Amino acid sequence: MPLFGNSFSPKKTPPRKWASLSNLHFLDRSTREAELGLEYGTPTMNLAGQSLRFEKGQWVSESGTFVGDRKDLQYLRRRNQQLEEENNLLRLKVDVLLDMLSETTAESHLLEKELEELKQHSQRRK
């Protein structure tokens, strides 16, 4: 015989009336923006003393010009060109390998088909 009883029945919790008691969702848009601060403006960042802002999908310098060493800029352009050429070469190699793979796969399927036909032909002779 159980010491404390044999059934456990917790009380049901009452349903919630509102998820939030805040009345901000009843306000119009301009009031909500003023209350919650939803006007952010354009994103800006500062990198190595260079201030940049995000406009029309690109980062633009605040001063309008790149403040950096000319040699660094030339090196970066040259390196970018090298990487683009390497990327194009690698894409070409991948395309060639895919063509080779599909050709080998097609040949393999043809050989398997021939093998099956030869097996069926040899079984008919027996």
Side-chain angles (χ1 to χ4, degrees):
M1 188 155 160
L3 185 61
F4 297 109
N6 58 358
S7 65
F8 176 73
S9 59
K11 294 180 182 177
K12 287 191 174 184
T13 58
R16 292 184 178 182
K17 294 179 182 176
W18 289 95
S20 172
L21 297 177
S22 172
N23 61 356
L24 289 176
H25 62 279
F26 292 122
L27 300 175
D28 63 336
R29 181 180 176 162
S30 61
T31 310
R32 272 191 302 209
E33 285 179 0
E35 289 288 326
L36 300 174
L38 298 177
E39 191 63 39
Y40 296 120
T42 59
T44 58
M45 72 175 174
N46 191 1
L47 288 175
Q50 180 78 18
S51 182
L52 303 168
R53 68 178 181 272
F54 194 74
E55 287 182 358
K56 299 179 185 175
Q58 292 192 358
W59 288 100
V60 180
S61 174
E62 291 277 334
S63 62
T65 60
F66 178 73
V67 182
D69 192 29
R70 182 177 283 264
K71 289 181 182 179
D72 288 341
L73 187 58
Q74 288 176 350
Y75 169 76
L76 290 174
R77 284 186 179 155
R78 196 169 42 248
R79 182 69 177 141
N80 189 24
Q81 181 68 26
Q82 288 173 349
L83 291 174
E84 284 178 359
E85 290 173 3
E86 183 180 349
N87 192 15
N88 289 337
L89 178 66
L90 291 173
R91 284 183 181 165
L92 181 65
K93 286 182 178 182
V94 166
D95 287 342
V96 169
L97 286 173
L98 285 174
D99 288 344
M100 291 171 60
L101 177 65
S102 57
E103 183 181 342
T104 305
T105 305
E107 287 177 5
S108 170
H109 285 298
L110 285 175
L111 289 174
E112 286 176 4
K113 210 177 215 184
E114 274 185 42
L115 183 62
E116 287 298 320
E117 288 175 3
L118 287 173
K119 283 181 181 178
Q120 289 176 359
H121 185 68
S122 68
Q123 287 177 356
R124 287 182 201 160
R125 284 186 162 181
K126 291 183 181 180

